[in-house]
Amino acid sequence: MELKTKKKIRVMSTVLFLLYLLALGYFLFFAEGFGRAIEDRGYRYNLEPMKEIMRFWNNRETLGTSAVLLNLAGNVLAFVPFGAILPVLNRHTRGFFRIGLLSLEFSFLMECFQLMFRVGSFDVDDMILNTLGGITGFLLFAICNGVRRRLYE
């Protein structure tokens, strides 16, 4: 691939990653439609793995499909761009376990911010789902990168 093309891809990826981080920050800390009500600013947390995931799954008929999808699939989908774009920006992040660890660390950081600022809740299940999303994004990157290599190199 030409150096000029690589530079364009890197610039576009940087812009996309920054836009992704801004959107993620908005949805995590400011979007009132996602449980960020100003009235309830207490500390809320879940440290028991799979507790909230199972609660949502077991009560899916009571809670409704949209609430379950928003929580479970939303937490996964929220981190797909993280796992897909980061390997384009930095060669050292091109690895299944590395992206998994970075996704877990970044998710932990976001959960800590939510706890500190009393917005949303610190939930270990969100970290599990976010990490799964980052890994899914990396797998999409790996597939696309493999196809690109076959076609253009």
Side-chain angles (χ1 to χ4, degrees):
M1 188 181 315
E2 288 184 35
L3 188 61
K4 193 175 183 180
T5 305
K6 284 184 179 181
K7 186 172 181 169
K8 284 181 183 178
I9 290 172
R10 212 153 268 150
V11 168
M12 285 177 28
S13 298
T14 302
V15 169
L16 279 174
F17 197 68
L18 290 174
L19 289 173
Y20 159 72
L21 290 176
L22 286 172
L24 187 64
Y26 171 76
F27 286 116
L28 285 175
F29 299 107
F30 301 110
E32 289 181 20
F34 293 96
R36 311 296 181 255
I38 294 175
E39 307 86 46
D40 181 22
R41 290 283 181 145
Y43 291 110
R44 295 189 333 233
Y45 55 90
N46 167 40
L47 301 177
E48 185 180 327
M50 302 301 290
K51 178 181 177 182
E52 287 298 307
I53 292 172
M54 293 310 297
R55 184 179 72 83
F56 269 88
W57 185 254
N58 292 335
N59 297 310
R60 63 188 177 275
E61 290 185 17
T62 306
L63 296 170
T65 306
S66 61
V68 173
L69 281 177
L70 185 64
N71 187 329
L72 301 181
N75 274 302
V76 172
L77 291 174
F79 268 63
V80 168
F82 183 86
I85 300 172
L86 198 58
V88 176
L89 294 176
N90 187 339
R91 265 188 187 287
H92 300 294
T93 61
R94 291 184 186 177
F96 181 84
F97 292 108
R98 184 157 295 181
I99 281 294
L101 184 60
L102 288 170
S103 297
L104 178 64
E105 290 171 345
F106 187 64
S107 179
F108 178 72
L109 185 66
M110 293 296 103
E111 294 296 321
C112 286
F113 283 150
Q114 284 183 323
L115 186 66
M116 284 181 353
F117 296 116
R118 299 179 190 179
V119 177
S121 65
F122 181 99
D123 191 348
V124 72
D125 289 345
D126 288 352
M127 291 171 44
I128 293 168
L129 295 169
N130 294 159
T131 302
L132 181 62
I135 290 170
T136 302
F138 174 74
L139 292 175
L140 289 172
F141 161 79
I143 290 167
C144 292
N145 196 37
V147 169
R148 178 194 62 84
R149 285 179 180 271
R150 279 197 187 138
L151 293 176
Y152 299 109
E153 291 181 7

